[in-house]
Amino acid sequence: MASLHSTVAAVLPAASIATAATNEIGKRGLAYNNNNVYGNATYANDFFANSSQVTWGYDWGYPSWNLSSVFEFVPMLWGLPSGNDPDWTAAVQTAGTVNILGFNEPDLTYSGSSNMLPAAAAQGYLTYMEPFGGSVRIGAPNVLWNNYDSTSSGGDYSSRVWTSYFMGNRTGCHFDFACIHWYEDCEPGNGESGADWFTSNVTDAYNTLQLPIWVTEFQCYGSDDQQATFLESVMPWLDSQDYVERYAYFGVFPGYLLDGDGDALSAAGKAYVSS
Ligand SMILES: *[C@@H]1O[C@H](CO)[C@@H](O)[C@H](O)[C@H]1NC(C)=O
Ligand SMILES: *[C@@H]1O[C@H](CO)[C@@H](O)[C@H](O)[C@H]1NC(C)=O
Ligand SMILES: *[C@@H]1O[C@H](CO)[C@@H](O)[C@H](O)[C@H]1NC(C)=O
Ligand SMILES: *[C@@H]1O[C@H](CO)[C@@H](O)[C@H](O)[C@H]1NC(C)=O
Ligand SMILES: *[C@@H]1O[C@H](CO)[C@@H](O)[C@H](O)[C@H]1NC(C)=O
């Protein structure tokens, strides 16, 4: 699939590539990493390579740690590098790379975020992402779209406002798709539905940003069964929205899409591989 895809990417203009990406390889993907007993993509390969529903993966960075070639691997530039990194260039230029992801939660300030001012993030994109624009499709920063608290990097504002400042500073950059994260309780209380919140927040992201949407992390907080029910509710919706190009549930880890021991799919994992 990956090689067919890169052939398509080489001959078609950007708009056609977007259509090809959606129709040919599907939307459902894997957020995995090598931080496990194998030190590689074994969990992703062993539990998901047989699923025709699951077609791509990313690991918050590069390399792919031997992700199976049945998946499209999407490299990510997690944060601002200190200078040109030949390994990033090599990852982007690896045969089969069609799409690239940029900064991970630059809008947030906790220790696991890439915490950047909007203007600095835009400058980082101009330097390290945009130069590849002719050869691969570029995703905008991965922001926590439903963080509507006033807690974003650089000020007393929400992630939506951070994103609007980033877009305001994006001179010289283009984006082929926007990337959002979403975390919320499966049952937010007052009889409300996490699935309804999710679909309304994703719709809002598209209406605001006017770009195809990749939901690169999402999870509802709750029991394994509650998460399976959530997935069974939102995946048909995601699959039927033309503007949703890709999504990846969090994540390919024991206690998440795998059971606690990492030797079988969890209920949520079983939902994720089903049609
Ligand atoms: C992952 O690492 C394990 C342990 O070293 C090894 O046996 C296995 O072949 C590796 N898998 C891949 C896909 O490289
Ligand atoms: C990836 O696969 C190669 C070839 O089988 C192997 O030599 C290497 O150790 C693997 N890397 C990891 C991190 O498992
Ligand atoms: C995937 O398919 C291979 C080959 O048919 C099989 O050996 C393996 O057990 C399957 N894995 C899962 C998790 O079903
Ligand atoms: C997300 O959805 C919830 C429920 O509809 C809503 O209260 C909230 O304002 C939305 N947030 C964003 C950022 O759209
Ligand atoms: C550029 O980003 C800065 C914060 O980094 C913000 O104050 C400013 O309003 C942004 N400019 C535009 C045009 O959005």
Side-chain angles (χ1 to χ4, degrees):
M1 291 179 200
S3 56
L4 169 63
H5 215 82
S6 58
T7 310
V8 171
V11 297
L12 297 182
S16 305
I17 295 169
T19 307
T22 302
N23 295 340
E24 282 178 27
I25 83 152
K27 303 184 183 190
R28 204 172 302 171
L30 302 174
Y32 74 98
N33 65 21
N34 68 325
N35 184 18
N36 56 52
V37 290
Y38 305 102
N40 61 32
T42 288
Y43 283 140
N45 296 344
D46 281 7
F47 292 109
F48 298 95
N50 287 356
S51 166
S52 60
Q53 300 294 326
V54 180
T55 53
W56 68 281
Y58 82 101
D59 61 4
W60 288 273
Y62 50 89
S64 80
W65 306 108
N66 291 349
L67 183 69
S68 166
S69 61
V70 304
F71 302 114
E72 178 196 326
F73 176 67
V74 182
M76 171 187 277
L77 188 66
W78 184 89
L80 199 59
S82 50
N84 275 314
D85 180 355
D87 292 340
W88 171 240
T89 303
V92 178
Q93 294 178 343
T94 296
T97 303
V98 179
N99 299 285
I100 61 174
L101 297 170
F103 305 142
N104 188 64
E105 300 190 341
D107 51 315
L108 303 183
T109 58
Y110 75 104
S111 61
S113 71
S114 66
N115 188 4
M116 278 178 233
L117 297 180
Q123 183 60 47
Y125 258 72
L126 187 60
T127 308
Y128 300 109
M129 299 286 288
E130 185 62 26
F132 299 108
S135 52
V136 293
R137 300 174 72 243
I138 297 176
N142 301 266
V143 296
L144 183 59
W145 192 256
N146 67 325
N147 169 36
Y148 31 89
D149 298 336
S150 298
T151 56
S152 286
S153 182
D156 197 12
Y157 45 67
S158 69
S159 290
R160 277 167 121 261
V161 173
W162 187 97
T163 305
S164 72
Y165 287 161
F166 171 83
M167 290 296 178
N169 279 273
R170 78 185 186 299
T171 309
C173 295
H174 84 284
F175 308 107
D176 296 291
F177 54 95
C179 300
I180 63 167
H181 292 176
W182 185 92
Y183 290 90
E184 184 59 76
D185 291 343
C186 300
E187 292 172 12
N190 297 326
E192 296 206 51
S193 144
D196 287 349
W197 282 33
F198 175 74
T199 57
S200 82
N201 292 168
V202 174
T203 303
D204 175 66
Y206 174 68
N207 288 341
T208 304
L209 299 170
Q210 293 289 313
L211 286 166
I213 300 293
W214 288 33
V215 188
T216 46
E217 288 181 29
F218 70 114
Q219 185 193 9
C220 81
Y221 299 131
S223 69
D224 188 23
D225 284 341
Q226 283 177 311
Q227 294 186 62
T229 300
F230 171 85
L231 283 170
E232 284 158 4
S233 170
V234 301
M235 289 195 304
W237 181 84
L238 288 165
D239 291 338
S240 65
Q241 303 309 304
D242 287 345
Y243 62 78
V244 175
E245 278 190 4
R246 301 275 178 101
Y247 57 88
Y249 195 68
F250 188 89
V252 183
F253 311 112
Y256 292 80
L257 290 173
L258 309 181
D259 71 5
D261 295 329
D263 54 20
L265 291 169
S266 62
K270 285 179 188 148
Y272 205 58
V273 297
S274 66
S275 52

